[in-house]
Coordinates of all heavy atoms in Angstrom, one line a residue:
M1 N 0.9 -1.2 0.0 CA 0.0 0.0 -0.1 C 0.9 1.3 0.0 O 1.9 1.2 0.7 CB -0.9 0.1 1.2 CG -1.6 1.4 1.3 SD -2.8 1.5 2.7 CE -3.9 0.3 2.2
K2 N 0.5 2.2 -0.8 CA 1.2 3.5 -0.8 C 0.3 4.5 -0.1 O -0.9 4.6 -0.3 CB 1.3 3.9 -2.3 CG 2.3 3.0 -3.1 CD 2.5 3.6 -4.4 CE 3.4 2.8 -5.3 NZ 4.8 2.7 -4.9
I3 N 1.0 5.3 0.8 CA 0.3 6.3 1.5 C 0.9 7.6 1.1 O 2.1 7.8 1.2 CB 0.3 6.0 3.0 CG1 -0.3 4.8 3.4 CG2 -0.2 7.3 3.8 CD1 -0.2 4.3 4.9
F4 N 0.0 8.6 0.7 CA 0.5 9.9 0.3 C -0.1 10.9 1.3 O -1.4 10.9 1.7 CB 0.0 10.2 -1.0 CG 0.7 9.3 -2.2 CD1 0.0 8.3 -2.7 CD2 1.8 9.8 -2.7 CE1 0.6 7.5 -3.7 CE2 2.5 9.0 -3.6 CZ 1.8 7.9 -4.1
C5 N 0.7 11.9 1.7 CA 0.2 12.9 2.5 C 0.5 14.2 1.8 O 1.6 14.4 1.2 CB 1.1 12.9 3.8 SG 0.9 14.4 4.8
I6 N -0.5 15.2 1.8 CA -0.2 16.5 1.1 C 0.0 17.5 2.1 O -0.9 17.8 2.8 CB -1.4 16.7 0.1 CG1 -1.6 15.6 -0.8 CG2 -1.3 18.1 -0.6 CD1 -2.3 15.9 -2.1
R7 N 1.1 18.0 2.1 CA 1.5 19.2 3.0 C 2.2 20.3 2.2 O 3.4 20.5 2.1 CB 2.4 18.7 4.1 CG 2.7 19.7 5.2 CD 3.6 19.2 6.2 NE 4.9 19.0 5.9 CZ 5.9 19.9 5.9 NH1 5.6 21.1 6.2 NH2 7.2 19.6 5.5
I8 N 1.3 21.0 1.5 CA 1.7 22.1 0.6 C 1.5 23.5 1.3 O 0.4 23.6 1.8 CB 1.0 22.1 -0.7 CG1 1.4 20.8 -1.4 CG2 1.4 23.3 -1.6 CD1 0.7 20.6 -2.8
G9 N 2.4 24.4 1.3 CA 2.2 25.7 1.9 C 2.8 25.6 3.4 O 3.5 24.7 3.7
N10 N 2.6 26.8 4.1 CA 3.2 26.9 5.3 C 2.2 26.7 6.5 O 2.6 27.0 7.7 CB 3.8 28.2 5.4 CG 5.0 28.4 4.4 OD1 5.7 27.5 4.2 ND2 5.1 29.6 3.8
K11 N 1.0 26.4 6.3 CA 0.0 26.3 7.4 C 0.4 25.2 8.4 O 0.2 25.5 9.6 CB -1.4 25.9 6.8 CG -2.4 25.9 7.8 CD -3.8 25.6 7.3 CE -4.8 25.6 8.3 NZ -6.2 25.2 7.7
L12 N 0.9 24.1 8.0 CA 1.3 23.1 9.0 C 2.8 22.8 8.9 O 3.5 22.9 7.8 CB 0.6 21.8 8.6 CG -1.0 21.9 8.7 CD1 -1.6 20.6 8.2 CD2 -1.4 22.1 10.1
G13 N 3.4 22.6 10.0 CA 4.9 22.3 10.1 C 5.3 20.9 9.8 O 4.5 20.0 9.7
Q14 N 6.6 20.8 9.9 CA 7.2 19.5 9.6 C 6.8 18.4 10.7 O 6.8 17.2 10.4 CB 8.8 19.6 9.6 CG 9.6 18.4 9.5 CD 9.6 17.9 8.0 OE1 9.3 18.7 7.1 NE2 9.9 16.6 7.9
L15 N 6.5 18.9 11.9 CA 6.1 17.9 12.9 C 4.9 17.0 12.5 O 4.8 15.9 13.0 CB 5.8 18.7 14.2 CG 7.0 19.3 14.9 CD1 6.6 20.1 16.2 CD2 8.0 18.3 15.3
Y16 N 4.0 17.6 11.7 CA 2.8 16.9 11.3 C 3.3 15.7 10.5 O 2.8 14.6 10.6 CB 1.8 17.7 10.6 CG 1.1 18.7 11.5 CD1 1.6 19.9 11.8 CD2 -0.2 18.4 12.0 CE1 1.0 20.8 12.6 CE2 -0.8 19.2 12.8 CZ -0.2 20.4 13.1 OH -0.9 21.4 14.0
E17 N 4.1 15.9 9.6 CA 4.7 14.9 8.7 C 5.4 13.8 9.4 O 5.3 12.6 9.2 CB 5.5 15.6 7.7 CG 6.1 14.6 6.6 CD 7.0 15.4 5.6 OE1 6.8 16.5 5.3 OE2 7.9 14.7 5.0
E18 N 6.2 14.3 10.3 CA 7.1 13.3 11.1 C 6.2 12.4 11.9 O 6.4 11.2 12.2 CB 8.0 14.1 12.0 CG 9.2 14.8 11.2 CD 10.0 15.7 12.0 OE1 9.9 15.7 13.3 OE2 10.8 16.4 11.4
Y19 N 5.1 12.9 12.6 CA 4.2 12.2 13.3 C 3.6 11.0 12.5 O 3.6 9.9 12.9 CB 3.1 13.1 13.8 CG 1.9 12.3 14.4 CD1 1.9 11.8 15.7 CD2 0.7 12.1 13.7 CE1 0.8 11.1 16.2 CE2 -0.4 11.4 14.2 CZ -0.3 10.9 15.4 OH -1.4 10.2 15.9
L20 N 3.1 11.3 11.2 CA 2.6 10.3 10.4 C 3.6 9.3 9.9 O 3.3 8.1 9.9 CB 1.9 11.0 9.2 CG 0.6 11.8 9.5 CD1 0.1 12.5 8.2 CD2 -0.4 10.8 10.0
K21 N 4.8 9.8 9.6 CA 5.9 8.8 9.2 C 6.2 7.8 10.4 O 6.3 6.6 10.1 CB 7.2 9.5 8.9 CG 7.2 10.2 7.5 CD 8.5 10.8 7.3 CE 8.6 11.4 5.9 NZ 9.9 12.1 5.7
E22 N 6.1 8.4 11.6 CA 6.4 7.5 12.8 C 5.3 6.5 13.0 O 5.5 5.3 13.2 CB 6.5 8.3 13.9 CG 6.8 7.5 15.3 CD 6.9 8.4 16.5 OE1 7.7 9.3 16.4 OE2 6.2 8.1 17.4
K23 N 4.1 6.9 12.8 CA 2.9 6.0 12.9 C 2.7 5.0 11.8 O 2.2 3.9 12.0 CB 1.6 6.8 13.0 CG 1.4 7.5 14.3 CD 1.0 6.6 15.4 CE 0.4 7.5 16.6 NZ -0.2 6.6 17.6
L24 N 3.1 5.4 10.7 CA 2.9 4.5 9.4 C 4.3 4.1 8.8 O 4.4 3.8 7.6 CB 2.1 5.4 8.4 CG 0.8 6.0 8.9 CD1 0.3 7.0 7.9 CD2 -0.2 4.8 9.1
F25 N 5.2 3.7 9.7 CA 6.5 3.4 9.2 C 6.6 2.1 8.3 O 7.5 2.0 7.5 CB 7.5 3.3 10.4 CG 7.1 2.1 11.4 CD1 7.7 0.9 11.1 CD2 6.3 2.2 12.3 CE1 7.5 -0.2 11.9 CE2 6.0 1.2 13.1 CZ 6.6 -0.1 13.0
E26 N 5.6 1.2 8.5 CA 5.7 0.0 7.7 C 5.1 0.1 6.4 O 5.1 -0.9 5.7 CB 5.1 -1.2 8.5 CG 3.5 -1.0 8.7 CD 3.2 -0.3 10.0 OE1 4.0 0.4 10.6 OE2 2.1 -0.6 10.4
Y27 N 4.6 1.2 6.0 CA 3.9 1.5 4.7 C 4.9 2.4 3.8 O 5.8 3.0 4.3 CB 2.6 2.2 4.8 CG 1.7 1.4 5.6 CD1 1.4 1.7 7.0 CD2 1.0 0.3 5.0 CE1 0.5 1.0 7.7 CE2 0.0 -0.5 5.7 CZ -0.2 -0.2 7.1 OH -1.1 -0.9 7.8
D28 N 4.7 2.3 2.5 CA 5.4 3.2 1.5 C 4.7 4.6 1.7 O 3.7 4.9 1.1 CB 5.2 2.6 0.1 CG 5.9 3.4 -0.9 OD1 6.7 4.3 -0.5 OD2 5.8 3.1 -2.1
F29 N 5.4 5.4 2.4 CA 4.8 6.7 2.8 C 5.5 7.9 2.0 O 6.8 7.9 2.0 CB 5.0 7.0 4.3 CG 4.4 8.4 4.8 CD1 3.0 8.4 5.2 CD2 5.2 9.4 4.8 CE1 2.7 9.6 5.7 CE2 4.7 10.6 5.4 CZ 3.4 10.7 5.6
T30 N 4.9 8.7 1.4 CA 5.4 9.8 0.6 C 4.6 11.1 1.0 O 3.4 11.1 1.0 CB 5.3 9.6 -0.9 OG1 5.9 8.4 -1.2 CG2 5.8 10.8 -1.7
C31 N 5.4 12.2 1.2 CA 4.7 13.4 1.5 C 4.9 14.4 0.3 O 6.0 14.5 -0.1 CB 5.3 14.1 2.8 SG 4.3 15.5 3.3
I32 N 3.9 14.9 -0.2 CA 3.9 15.8 -1.3 C 4.0 17.2 -0.8 O 3.1 17.6 -0.1 CB 2.6 15.6 -2.2 CG1 2.4 14.3 -2.6 CG2 2.6 16.6 -3.3 CD1 3.4 13.6 -3.5
R33 N 5.0 18.0 -1.1 CA 5.2 19.3 -0.6 C 5.1 20.4 -1.6 O 4.9 21.6 -1.4 CB 6.6 19.3 0.1 CG 6.7 18.5 1.3 CD 8.1 18.6 1.9 NE 8.3 17.4 2.7 CZ 8.9 16.3 2.4 NH1 9.4 16.1 1.1 NH2 9.1 15.3 3.2
E34 N 5.1 20.0 -3.0 CA 5.0 21.0 -4.1 C 3.8 20.6 -4.9 O 3.6 19.4 -5.1 CB 6.3 21.0 -4.9 CG 7.5 21.4 -4.0 CD 7.5 22.9 -3.7 OE1 6.9 23.7 -4.4 OE2 8.0 23.2 -2.6
P35 N 3.1 21.5 -5.5 CA 1.9 21.2 -6.4 C 2.5 20.5 -7.6 O 3.7 20.8 -8.1 CB 1.4 22.5 -6.7 CG 2.0 23.5 -5.8 CD 3.2 22.9 -5.3
Y36 N 1.7 19.6 -8.2 CA 2.2 19.0 -9.4 C 2.1 19.8 -10.6 O 2.6 19.5 -11.7 CB 1.4 17.6 -9.7 CG 0.0 17.7 -10.1 CD1 -0.4 17.8 -11.4 CD2 -1.0 17.7 -9.1 CE1 -1.7 17.9 -11.8 CE2 -2.3 17.9 -9.4 CZ -2.7 18.0 -10.9 OH -4.0 18.1 -11.2
A37 N 1.4 20.9 -10.5 CA 1.3 21.9 -11.6 C 1.1 23.3 -10.9 O 0.6 23.3 -9.9 CB 0.1 21.6 -12.5
K38 N 1.6 24.3 -11.5 CA 1.6 25.7 -11.0 C 0.1 26.3 -10.7 O -0.1 27.0 -9.8 CB 2.3 26.7 -11.9 CG 3.8 26.4 -11.9 CD 4.5 27.5 -12.8 CE 6.0 27.2 -12.7 NZ 6.8 28.2 -13.5
N39 N -0.8 25.8 -11.5 CA -2.1 26.3 -11.4 C -3.0 25.5 -10.4 O -4.2 25.6 -10.3 CB -2.9 26.5 -12.8 CG -3.0 25.1 -13.5 OD1 -2.3 24.2 -13.1 ND2 -3.8 25.0 -14.4
V40 N -2.5 24.4 -9.7 CA -3.2 23.6 -8.9 C -2.8 23.9 -7.5 O -1.5 23.9 -7.0 CB -2.9 22.1 -9.1 CG1 -3.6 21.2 -8.2 CG2 -3.2 21.7 -10.6
S41 N -3.7 24.3 -6.7 CA -3.4 24.7 -5.3 C -3.7 23.6 -4.2 O -4.6 22.8 -4.4 CB -4.1 26.0 -4.9 OG -5.5 25.8 -4.9
H42 N -2.9 23.6 -3.2 CA -3.0 22.8 -2.0 C -3.7 21.4 -2.2 O -3.2 20.6 -2.9 CB -3.8 23.6 -0.9 CG -3.0 25.0 -0.7 ND1 -1.8 25.0 -0.1 CD2 -3.3 26.2 -1.0 CE1 -1.5 26.3 0.0 NE2 -2.4 27.0 -0.5
Q43 N -4.8 21.3 -1.5 CA -5.4 19.9 -1.5 C -6.0 19.5 -2.8 O -6.3 18.2 -3.0 CB -6.6 19.9 -0.4 CG -6.0 20.1 1.0 CD -4.8 19.1 1.5 OE1 -4.9 17.9 1.1 NE2 -4.0 19.6 2.2
W44 N -6.1 20.3 -3.8 CA -6.5 19.8 -5.1 C -5.5 18.8 -5.8 O -5.9 18.2 -6.7 CB -6.8 21.0 -6.0 CG -8.0 21.7 -5.7 CD1 -8.1 22.9 -5.0 CD2 -9.4 21.3 -5.8 NE1 -9.5 23.2 -4.7 CE2 -10.2 22.2 -5.2 CE3 -10.0 20.2 -6.4 CZ2 -11.6 22.1 -5.1 CZ3 -11.3 20.1 -6.4 CH2 -12.2 21.0 -5.8
N45 N -4.3 18.7 -5.2 CA -3.3 17.9 -5.7 C -3.8 16.4 -5.5 O -3.2 15.4 -6.1 CB -2.0 18.1 -5.1 CG -1.4 19.4 -5.7 OD1 -0.8 19.4 -6.7 ND2 -1.6 20.6 -5.1
K46 N -4.8 16.2 -4.6 CA -5.3 14.8 -4.4 C -5.8 14.2 -5.7 O -5.7 13.0 -5.8 CB -6.3 14.9 -3.3 CG -5.9 15.2 -1.9 CD -7.1 15.2 -1.0 CE -6.6 15.6 0.4 NZ -7.7 15.7 1.4
L47 N -6.4 15.0 -6.5 CA -6.9 14.5 -7.7 C -5.9 13.8 -8.6 O -6.1 12.8 -9.2 CB -7.7 15.6 -8.4 CG -8.9 16.1 -7.7 CD1 -9.5 17.4 -8.5 CD2 -10.0 15.2 -7.5
Y48 N -4.7 14.4 -8.6 CA -3.6 13.9 -9.5 C -3.2 12.5 -8.9 O -3.0 11.6 -9.6 CB -2.4 14.8 -9.3 CG -1.1 14.2 -9.9 CD1 -0.9 14.0 -11.2 CD2 -0.1 13.7 -9.0 CE1 0.2 13.4 -11.6 CE2 1.0 13.1 -9.4 CZ 1.2 13.0 -10.8 OH 2.3 12.5 -11.3
L49 N -3.2 12.4 -7.6 CA -2.8 11.1 -6.9 C -3.9 10.0 -7.2 O -3.5 8.8 -7.3 CB -2.6 11.3 -5.5 CG -1.5 12.2 -5.0 CD1 -1.5 12.4 -3.5 CD2 -0.1 11.6 -5.5
M50 N -5.1 10.4 -7.3 CA -6.1 9.4 -7.5 C -6.1 8.8 -9.0 O -6.7 7.9 -9.3 CB -7.5 10.0 -7.3 CG -7.8 10.3 -5.9 SD -9.4 11.1 -5.7 CE -9.3 11.6 -3.9
N51 N -5.2 9.5 -9.8 CA -5.2 9.0 -11.1 C -3.8 8.4 -11.5 O -3.5 8.1 -12.7 CB -5.4 10.2 -12.1 CG -6.8 10.6 -12.2 OD1 -7.7 9.8 -12.4 ND2 -7.1 11.9 -11.9
L52 N -3.1 8.0 -10.5 CA -1.8 7.3 -10.6 C -2.0 5.9 -11.2 O -3.1 5.2 -10.8 CB -1.1 7.1 -9.3 CG -0.5 8.5 -8.8 CD1 0.3 8.2 -7.4 CD2 0.5 9.1 -9.7
N53 N -1.2 5.5 -12.1 CA -1.2 4.1 -12.6 C -0.4 3.2 -11.7 O 0.7 2.8 -12.1 CB -0.8 4.2 -14.1 CG -1.0 2.8 -14.7 OD1 -1.9 2.0 -14.2 ND2 -0.3 2.6 -15.8
V54 N -0.9 2.8 -10.6 CA -0.2 1.8 -9.7 C -1.1 0.6 -9.5 O -2.4 0.7 -9.6 CB 0.1 2.5 -8.3 CG1 1.1 3.6 -8.5 CG2 -1.1 3.0 -7.6
N55 N -0.5 -0.5 -9.2 CA -1.2 -1.8 -9.1 C -1.5 -2.2 -7.7 O -1.4 -3.4 -7.4 CB -0.4 -2.9 -9.9 CG -1.4 -3.6 -10.7 OD1 -2.6 -3.4 -10.8 ND2 -0.8 -4.7 -11.3
E56 N -1.7 -1.2 -6.8 CA -1.9 -1.4 -5.4 C -2.8 -0.4 -4.9 O -2.8 0.7 -5.4 CB -0.6 -1.6 -4.7 CG 0.3 -0.4 -4.7 CD 1.6 -0.6 -3.9 OE1 1.6 -0.9 -2.7 OE2 2.6 -0.5 -4.6
P57 N -3.4 -0.6 -3.7 CA -4.2 0.5 -3.1 C -3.3 1.7 -2.7 O -2.1 1.4 -2.3 CB -4.8 -0.1 -1.9 CG -4.7 -1.7 -2.1 CD -3.5 -1.8 -3.0
I58 N -3.9 2.8 -2.8 CA -3.2 4.0 -2.3 C -4.2 4.7 -1.2 O -5.4 4.6 -1.3 CB -2.9 5.1 -3.4 CG1 -4.1 5.7 -4.1 CG2 -2.0 4.5 -4.4 CD1 -3.8 6.9 -4.9
C59 N -3.6 5.4 -0.3 CA -4.3 6.2 0.7 C -3.7 7.5 0.6 O -2.6 7.8 0.6 CB -4.0 5.6 2.1 SG -4.7 6.6 3.4
I60 N -4.8 8.4 0.6 CA -4.3 9.9 0.6 C -4.8 10.5 1.9 O -6.0 10.4 2.2 CB -5.0 10.6 -0.6 CG1 -4.5 10.0 -1.9 CG2 -4.6 12.1 -0.6 CD1 -5.3 10.5 -3.1
I61 N -3.9 11.0 2.6 CA -4.2 11.4 4.1 C -3.8 12.9 4.3 O -2.8 13.3 3.7 CB -3.4 10.4 5.0 CG1 -3.9 10.6 6.4 CG2 -1.9 10.6 4.9 CD1 -3.4 9.4 7.3
N62 N -4.6 13.5 5.1 CA -4.3 14.9 5.4 C -3.2 14.9 6.5 O -3.2 14.0 7.4 CB -5.5 15.6 5.9 CG -6.5 15.9 4.8 OD1 -6.2 16.0 3.7 ND2 -7.8 16.0 5.1
P63 N -2.4 15.9 6.5 CA -1.3 15.8 7.5 C -1.8 16.1 8.9 O -1.1 15.8 9.9 CB -0.4 16.9 7.0 CG -1.2 17.8 6.1 CD -2.3 16.9 5.6
D64 N -2.9 16.7 9.1 CA -3.3 17.2 10.5 C -4.3 16.1 11.1 O -5.0 16.4 12.1 CB -4.1 18.5 10.4 CG -5.2 18.5 9.5 OD1 -5.4 17.6 8.7 OD2 -6.0 19.5 9.6
I65 N -4.2 14.9 10.6 CA -5.0 13.8 11.2 C -4.3 13.2 12.4 O -3.1 13.1 12.4 CB -5.4 12.7 10.2 CG1 -6.4 11.8 10.6 CG2 -4.2 12.0 9.7 CD1 -7.0 10.9 9.5
L66 N -5.0 12.8 13.4 CA -4.5 12.0 14.5 C -4.9 10.6 14.4 O -6.1 10.3 14.2 CB -4.9 12.6 15.8 CG -4.5 13.9 16.3 CD1 -5.1 14.3 17.5 CD2 -2.9 13.9 16.5
L67 N -4.0 9.6 14.5 CA -4.3 8.2 14.4 C -4.3 7.6 15.8 O -3.3 7.5 16.4 CB -3.1 7.6 13.5 CG -3.0 8.1 12.1 CD1 -1.8 7.5 11.4 CD2 -4.2 7.8 11.3
L68 N -5.5 7.2 16.1 CA -5.7 6.7 17.5 C -6.3 5.3 17.6 O -6.8 4.9 16.5 CB -6.7 7.7 18.3 CG -6.3 9.1 18.3 CD1 -7.4 9.9 19.0 CD2 -5.0 9.3 19.1
N69 N -6.1 4.7 18.7 CA -6.8 3.3 18.8 C -6.2 2.4 17.8 O -5.1 2.4 17.4 CB -8.2 3.3 19.0 CG -8.7 4.2 20.1 OD1 -8.1 4.2 21.2 ND2 -9.7 5.0 19.9
D70 N -7.0 1.6 17.2 CA -6.6 0.6 16.3 C -6.8 1.1 14.8 O -7.6 0.7 14.0 CB -7.5 -0.7 16.4 CG -6.8 -1.9 15.6 OD1 -5.7 -1.7 15.2 OD2 -7.5 -2.9 15.5
Y71 N -6.0 2.2 14.5 CA -6.2 2.9 13.2 C -5.8 2.0 12.0 O -6.2 2.3 11.0 CB -5.3 4.2 13.3 CG -3.9 3.9 13.5 CD1 -3.1 3.8 12.5 CD2 -3.4 4.0 14.8 CE1 -1.7 3.6 12.6 CE2 -2.0 3.9 15.0 CZ -1.2 3.6 13.9 OH 0.1 3.5 14.1
K72 N -5.0 1.0 12.3 CA -4.6 0.1 11.1 C -5.7 -0.6 10.5 O -5.5 -1.1 9.4 CB -3.5 -0.7 11.6 CG -2.2 0.1 11.8 CD -1.0 -0.8 12.2 CE 0.2 0.1 12.5 NZ 1.3 -0.7 12.9
Q73 N -6.8 -0.7 11.1 CA -8.0 -1.3 10.5 C -8.4 -0.6 9.2 O -8.8 -1.3 8.3 CB -9.2 -1.4 11.5 CG -9.2 -2.3 12.6 CD -10.4 -2.4 13.4 OE1 -11.2 -1.5 13.2 NE2 -10.4 -3.3 14.4
L74 N -8.1 0.7 9.2 CA -8.5 1.5 8.0 C -7.7 0.9 6.8 O -8.2 0.8 5.8 CB -8.1 2.9 8.2 CG -8.2 3.8 6.9 CD1 -9.6 4.0 6.5 CD2 -7.5 5.2 7.2
F75 N -6.4 0.5 7.0 CA -5.6 0.0 6.0 C -5.8 -1.4 5.6 O -5.3 -1.9 4.6 CB -4.1 0.4 6.3 CG -3.8 1.8 6.6 CD1 -3.5 2.1 7.9 CD2 -4.0 2.7 5.7 CE1 -3.4 3.5 8.2 CE2 -3.8 4.1 5.9 CZ -3.4 4.4 7.2
D76 N -6.5 -2.2 6.5 CA -6.9 -3.5 6.2 C -8.2 -3.8 5.6 O -8.6 -4.9 5.2 CB -6.9 -4.3 7.6 CG -5.5 -4.4 8.2 OD1 -4.4 -4.3 7.4 OD2 -5.4 -4.5 9.4
T77 N -9.0 -2.7 5.3 CA -10.2 -2.7 4.6 C -10.0 -3.2 3.2 O -9.2 -2.6 2.4 CB -10.9 -1.4 4.6 OG1 -11.0 -0.9 5.9 CG2 -12.3 -1.4 3.8
P78 N -10.7 -4.3 2.8 CA -10.5 -4.8 1.4 C -11.1 -3.9 0.5 O -12.1 -3.3 0.6 CB -11.3 -6.1 1.4 CG -11.8 -6.4 2.8 CD -11.6 -5.1 3.6
I79 N -10.2 -3.6 -0.6 CA -10.6 -2.6 -1.6 C -10.1 -3.1 -3.0 O -8.9 -3.7 -3.0 CB -10.2 -1.2 -1.4 CG1 -10.7 -0.2 -2.2 CG2 -8.6 -1.1 -1.2 CD1 -10.5 1.3 -1.8
T80 N -10.9 -2.9 -4.1 CA -10.4 -3.2 -5.4 C -10.3 -2.0 -6.3 O -10.8 -0.9 -5.9 CB -11.3 -4.3 -6.0 OG1 -12.7 -3.7 -6.2 CG2 -11.4 -5.5 -5.3
Q81 N -9.6 -2.1 -7.4 CA -9.5 -1.0 -8.3 C -10.7 -0.4 -8.7 O -11.7 -1.0 -9.0 CB -8.6 -1.4 -9.6 CG -8.2 -0.2 -10.4 CD -7.3 -0.7 -11.4 OE1 -6.8 -1.9 -11.5 NE2 -7.0 0.3 -12.3
G82 N -10.7 0.9 -8.6 CA -11.9 1.7 -8.9 C -12.9 1.9 -7.7 O -13.8 2.7 -7.7
Q83 N -12.5 1.3 -6.6 CA -13.3 1.7 -5.3 C -12.7 2.8 -4.6 O -11.5 3.1 -4.7 CB -13.4 0.4 -4.4 CG -14.3 -0.7 -4.9 CD -14.4 -1.9 -3.9 OE1 -13.3 -2.2 -3.4 NE2 -15.5 -2.3 -3.8
F84 N -13.5 3.5 -3.8 CA -13.2 4.5 -3.0 C -13.7 4.4 -1.6 O -14.9 4.0 -1.3 CB -13.7 5.8 -3.6 CG -13.4 7.1 -2.8 CD1 -12.3 7.7 -3.0 CD2 -14.3 7.7 -1.9 CE1 -11.8 8.8 -2.3 CE2 -14.0 8.8 -1.2 CZ -12.8 9.4 -1.5
V85 N -12.8 4.5 -0.5 CA -13.2 4.4 0.8 C -12.9 5.7 1.5 O -11.8 6.2 1.4 CB -12.4 3.1 1.5 CG1 -12.8 3.0 3.0 CG2 -12.8 1.8 0.9
A86 N -13.9 6.1 2.4 CA -13.7 7.3 3.1 C -13.9 7.1 4.6 O -14.6 6.3 4.9 CB -14.6 8.4 2.6

């Protein structure tokens, strides 16, 4: 599973990203810090990630989320290509 976090701009600091990396260390974690195109702002970059051509589930996560209790159940939810879980 690939996990992407979008942290573009100065609203949230590096600590948010480090917290998620620590909690999700066993997953392929990538933090996006720059827009994929100049005319695309902040969280709209999620749309780009939803169109990646990868053969495994991806999770797009906001950097200001707190992962509590048994949060890994979210990542164990069965999902197939074309499905969306929120």
Side-chain angles (χ1 to χ4, degrees):
M1 170 174 303
K2 294 183 180 291
I3 299 178
F4 294 94
C5 170
I6 301 204
R7 188 176 69 84
I8 297 174
N10 298 323
K11 183 177 178 182
L12 300 173
Q14 180 73 25
L15 290 177
Y16 289 85
E17 181 180 334
E18 291 172 10
Y19 167 80
L20 289 175
K21 279 184 182 179
E22 181 180 310
K23 289 282 197 172
L24 303 170
F25 67 92
E26 67 269 25
Y27 300 101
D28 183 3
F29 182 89
T30 302
C31 191
I32 308 295
R33 295 179 201 93
E34 297 292 329
Y36 72 89
K38 290 182 180 183
N39 61 342
V40 178
S41 63
H42 304 289
Q43 298 302 323
W44 288 104
N45 286 277
K46 290 178 183 179
L47 297 176
Y48 169 75
L49 296 171
M50 290 179 192
N51 288 306
L52 290 178
N53 188 17
V54 295
N55 223 5
E56 63 183 296
I58 67 167
C59 174
I60 303 169
I61 194 167
N62 289 332
D64 59 349
I65 192 169
L66 289 177
L67 299 172
L68 303 173
N69 299 321
D70 194 11
Y71 60 88
K72 292 185 182 179
Q73 284 184 353
L74 170 69
F75 306 110
D76 293 333
T77 301
I79 188 169
T80 59
Q81 188 168 353
Q83 288 184 316
F84 180 82
V85 176

